[in-house]
Amino acid sequence: MSTLTMTSTLLSTPQSTAQALRQSLRRGAQRLLHNPMTVAGLLVVVALMLVALFAPLIATHNPLEQNLAQALQAPSSAHWFGTDEYGRDVFSRLVQGSRISLYIIALVTVIVGPVGLAVGSISGYFGGWVDNLFMRVTDIFISFPSLVLALAFVAALGPGLDHAVIAIALTAWPPIARLARAETLSLRNADYVVAAQLQGASSARILLRYIAPMLLSSVVVRLTMNMASVILTAAGLGFLGLGAQPPMPEWGAMISSGRRYMMECWWLVATPGAAIMMVSLAFNLLGDGLRDVLDPRNE
C-alpha cells in the first residue's frame, strides 16, 4: 500500500518547470470553470471579442450609412434592433461599437497596468520620501471621483476618442498603485528578497525579477475588475459628447443621441444600455472568478 502511495506521489509531482506550469494552469482552469457565474462572464467577454473581431461580417448594414426614409423604424426582420433618427441600423452600429469599447479597454489596460505596477512597487520597496511623494500624488488622484476627474482632463485636452483614453487612464492607475504598494510592503522583507540583497543584486533587478512577478496575479485581477469602470466612464464621456465623436457608433454616444426619442423609440436607448450593462457585469464576474483562482490563500 505504501509503495502505491509513493508511486502516486511521484507521478503527481511535476518533473519540470513546464510540467508544473501545465498542472497549475489545468487546476486554475478547472476551478475557473467550476463557478457558473464566472463561466457566464467569460462567455460574454469571449462573445464581445468575437463580435469585435468579425464586426464587418456580423453587421447587416453599413453602420454609418444614412437613410432618412427609414428613420426611427421599430425592430423588424430588416433591422433587428430598429433604426435611429438618421435611418442607420442600430444593430450594425452596436456591433461596430464593440470595437470601440475593446479599443478603449485595451489601451487603458496597457497604460494603467505598467504605470500602476511601477509606481506601487517602487513606492513600497524604497519607502521613506519616495513612498511619501508617490502616495501623496496617488491620494490626490483618488480623492476625486473618476468620472469628474476624467471630465476635467478631457476638458483640458479637448473632446475625442484618444483624449478620452488618456483621461480614463490618468484616473484608473491609482488603485493599481495602492494595491501594488501594499503587496510590496509585505514582500520586501521576504527571505528570498533579503538573500538577493545580500548577494549584491541591484534594486532594479530585485523589483523586476523577484517582486513584480509576485504582484502580477493581484494586478491582473484588479485590472479585470476595473474594466467595468472603464466601460462606464467611456460611456459617460461619450454620452456627454466628450468621447468618441459622431458619427462613430460608441455606445454612450448612441444613448445620448437616442435620449430625445426614448419615449417613442425605446430601442435607441435600451439596446446600447443593455450592451453596456452586460459587458460591465461580465467583466466583474470574470474578475471575481480570477481572484478566486489566483489568490494563493485559496490553495
Side-chain angles (χ1 to χ4, degrees):
M1 188 67 178
S2 60
T3 303
L4 292 175
T5 304
M6 292 177 62
T7 303
S8 176
T9 303
L10 289 174
L11 290 175
S12 61
T13 302
Q15 303 301 316
S16 65
T17 303
Q19 187 178 359
L21 179 60
R22 287 195 297 269
Q23 290 184 4
S24 177
L25 291 175
R26 188 182 305 113
R27 288 195 301 268
Q30 290 174 350
R31 292 172 58 187
L32 189 68
L33 298 177
H34 183 70
N35 188 335
M37 299 303 292
T38 303
V39 173
L42 179 61
L43 289 177
V44 173
V45 172
V46 171
L48 175 68
M49 294 180 179
L50 291 176
V51 168
L53 181 62
F54 299 105
L57 301 177
I58 297 174
T60 57
H61 298 75
N62 185 338
L64 303 180
E65 183 179 357
Q66 299 183 14
N67 187 350
L68 296 179
Q70 298 182 356
L72 300 177
Q73 288 190 356
S76 63
S77 58
H79 301 281
W80 296 348
F81 292 167
T83 61
D84 63 8
E85 67 273 24
Y86 297 107
R88 298 173 297 195
D89 184 69
V90 175
F91 172 77
S92 300
R93 290 178 62 78
L94 201 68
V95 168
Q96 192 68 26
S98 64
R99 287 190 162 187
I100 299 176
S101 296
L102 278 184
Y103 172 80
I104 295 173
I105 291 172
L107 279 187
V108 170
T109 302
V110 168
I111 297 172
V112 167
V115 171
L117 181 61
V119 172
S121 58
I122 292 173
S123 177
Y125 180 76
F126 288 103
W129 68 269
V130 175
D131 185 27
N132 288 330
L133 175 62
F134 282 3
M135 286 302 100
R136 297 299 76 78
V137 174
T138 303
D139 290 340
I140 292 173
F141 279 86
I142 291 180
S143 62
F144 295 94
S146 59
L147 181 57
V148 174
L149 195 57
L151 287 173
F153 282 122
V154 172
L157 297 173
L161 182 58
D162 292 335
H163 291 170
V165 169
I166 296 174
I168 296 171
L170 288 173
T171 63
W173 68 266
I176 307 297
R178 295 295 293 268
L179 174 64
R181 173 184 178 271
E183 301 243 350
T184 303
L185 289 175
S186 64
L187 292 173
R188 66 179 181 180
N189 294 323
D191 292 341
Y192 65 92
V193 174
V194 175
Q197 291 173 340
L198 293 176
Q199 292 176 357
S202 64
S203 298
R205 180 179 177 83
I206 293 173
L207 284 170
L208 292 174
R209 184 169 181 179
Y210 298 102
I211 292 181
M214 301 299 293
L215 306 179
L216 286 179
S217 60
S218 299
V219 170
V220 167
V221 172
R222 182 70 189 197
L223 285 173
T224 304
M225 300 188 73
N226 272 4
M227 289 177 184
S229 176
V230 170
I231 293 173
L232 292 174
T233 303
L237 293 176
F239 181 84
L240 297 173
L242 298 175
Q245 298 299 297
M248 295 180 68
E250 196 272 328
W251 293 344
M254 290 174 63
I255 295 177
S256 177
S257 63
R259 73 185 190 278
R260 293 172 293 176
Y261 312 97
M262 63 181 297
M263 299 305 296
E264 300 83 12
C265 307
W266 53 268
W267 57 88
L268 295 180
V269 175
T271 50
I276 293 171
M277 182 192 69
M278 287 182 59
V279 173
S280 300
L281 180 60
F283 277 115
N284 277 330
L285 294 176
L286 181 59
D288 285 337
L290 288 176
R291 180 183 57 193
D292 295 338
V293 170
L294 297 177
D295 190 346
R297 291 172 293 185
N298 293 329
E299 294 291 342

